[in-house]
Amino acid sequence: MGQTLTGLLTSVRAIAGRPGTPARGRPGGGGDQALLTALRLCGDHLSALAAAGPLTDARRTRLIASIGALTTACSTPGADGFDALLRTGQQALDSGGEAEARLALALADEATALRARSKGAWRLRGNALDALGRGEEAITAYERHLALQQNTAASRDVERRIATLRAAGDRIDEALTLFRAGAGTRVDTGAGTRADTEAGTGASGAAARLSRHLPAAEARAAFTDLVRLRTAEHGAGDPAVRRLAALYAEHRRLSDRDPVADPLLGGAEPIGVPGLRRLVAGRTVCLVADTPRTAEQEQRSGSPLAALIEGYDLVVRCDEARHTAPAARTDLHACTLRGDTPWKGPRWDRRAGARLVFGDPLPHWRLALRSRLVPGAQDRVGDATLRRPLHDPALLGEEAGAGPASTAYTVLRLLDFLGTPARVDLIGFEGPAALSPREREWVGTRTANTDDTAVRTLG
């Protein structure tokens, strides 16, 4: 890939020029300077990738291939490179990084300059701004897309996203109105402590920084500071503080996913960490491995293993079932998104009380849920707060360098973190279904008992 990348960069520079130099023009003439500017931006991105070292990410490899197709279009007399430009921008977004999102936005700007009435260009611009957390600007771009889009069905996703972004901004506006009302009616008796005074001053500063027009990360930080400092000033029992905290929670929920009413969830109820904690509280839980031996024994009428599994309050199964009977009881199904296009996997049509989907980055996770959830196949779906429990700082917060984890291990760690199940057992995790050495070591430190049915009890 090193030589391929270097060769492509050389071709890009030959057609579009280097930074700070004028473009040389397309072969065969033509005034598509926006295309050449876009190609130069791609060259800058390629240069940064080359400087970063060997490429191991398949998504970036596909982005490079898209840039190659754009280069070919720009170097072919009479060729229309607009579609290649949009594909390259979309591939940059699909790569998931911030630098790639900035590239996608820059390419979208050139695309709208080329064709101001291209609905695809405005959709790309909206998606790029959205990925960068610039919600209000994304709304403007999405609305330009909708004004050009004639297909009502194709507009629904964008309409829902606009509604979500607006709702998140409305929570900020209401929080600021609430703060100003409280600040205007507060009477200073002089009896407050120095800490109260500092908290009040700090809350004013946080409120001054907070705006719906801020990038998402900055708005989230300012909102967090406002809630924390207002709570320190007035206490968690204050009605205004409780409402402020509720607005903050709604803003975080809306920032991570679309509204609950999204029909793409198939009518299922989203649950987060508090909901999952309540679901498992005080209950006995077993994780059942999908192996031929376990499946055969479970299906055998009157078998001890079938009776054992039936005795648990919650039965958990992981990933795609290859051996387990279709009608086997599943109270909670967990799966991990793998590969570069996880939304293209088989649909989750087996019945489960609740379904947890682990995956990153967020856009791929969202797309997988929309593509693979089957209406009526589950009553609850884990929301975005549960999509990466091992690495989320709000949950376990582990470094990502430890390598991929099995779904069963992720579930075990999550249940251990929640700390509310009465008992958690593993059934059948031997042979092909065995956990990795690192995972077995962690389980071993929490094993209370191992018996002939291959059940490990975590204490």
Side-chain angles (χ1 to χ4, degrees), residues 3 16 49 55 89 105 116 124 145 155 158 171 203 208 221-222 268 281 288 314 349 352-353 381 390 399 405 410 419:
Q3 290 183 345
L49 289 179
L55 287 175
L105 177 58
L124 176 63
H145 165 81
S155 301
V158 176
R171 300 310 186 272
V288 182
L314 285 174
D349 55 1
V381 177
L390 292 181
E399 293 294 331
T410 302

Side-chain angles (χ1 to χ4, degrees), residues 13-106:
R13 295 301 191 210
I15 298 169
R18 296 179 177 276
T21 65
R24 301 181 184 182
R26 295 183 67 190
D32 292 346
Q33 290 301 313
L35 271 179
L36 295 173
T37 300
L39 191 59
R40 180 182 293 175
L41 292 168
C42 290
D44 296 342
H45 190 75
L46 290 175
S47 181
L49 289 179
L55 287 175
T56 58
D57 190 334
R59 290 172 293 181
R60 287 182 173 175
T61 301
R62 287 196 297 274
L63 172 58
I64 292 170
S66 293
I67 294 174
L70 177 61
T71 305
T72 300
C74 288
S75 63
T76 302
D80 185 355
F82 187 78
D83 287 344
L85 174 60
L86 292 185
R87 285 194 296 270
T88 302
Q90 187 57 52
Q91 192 59 64
L93 265 185
D94 290 344
S95 296
E98 183 178 348
E100 285 74 16
R102 290 197 299 268
L103 174 62
L105 177 58

Side-chain angles (χ1 to χ4, degrees), residues 349-363:
D349 55 1
R350 285 179 175 249
R351 176 66 191 168
R355 204 176 306 277
L356 301 181
V357 181
F358 306 129
D360 212 24
L362 180 59

Side-chain angles (χ1 to χ4, degrees), residues 45-46 53 55 192-193 303 360 366 383-384 387 422 440:
H45 190 75
L46 290 175
L55 287 175
T193 65
S303 74
D360 212 24
R366 280 184 178 143
D383 67 14
R387 69 183 176 87
R440 287 201 303 272

Side-chain angles (χ1 to χ4, degrees), residues 176 202-211 214 218-219 221-223 225-226 229:
L176 290 174
S204 298
R209 297 197 315 273
L210 183 59
S211 167
L214 283 174
E218 296 177 30
F223 209 159
D225 287 344
L226 178 60
L229 293 167

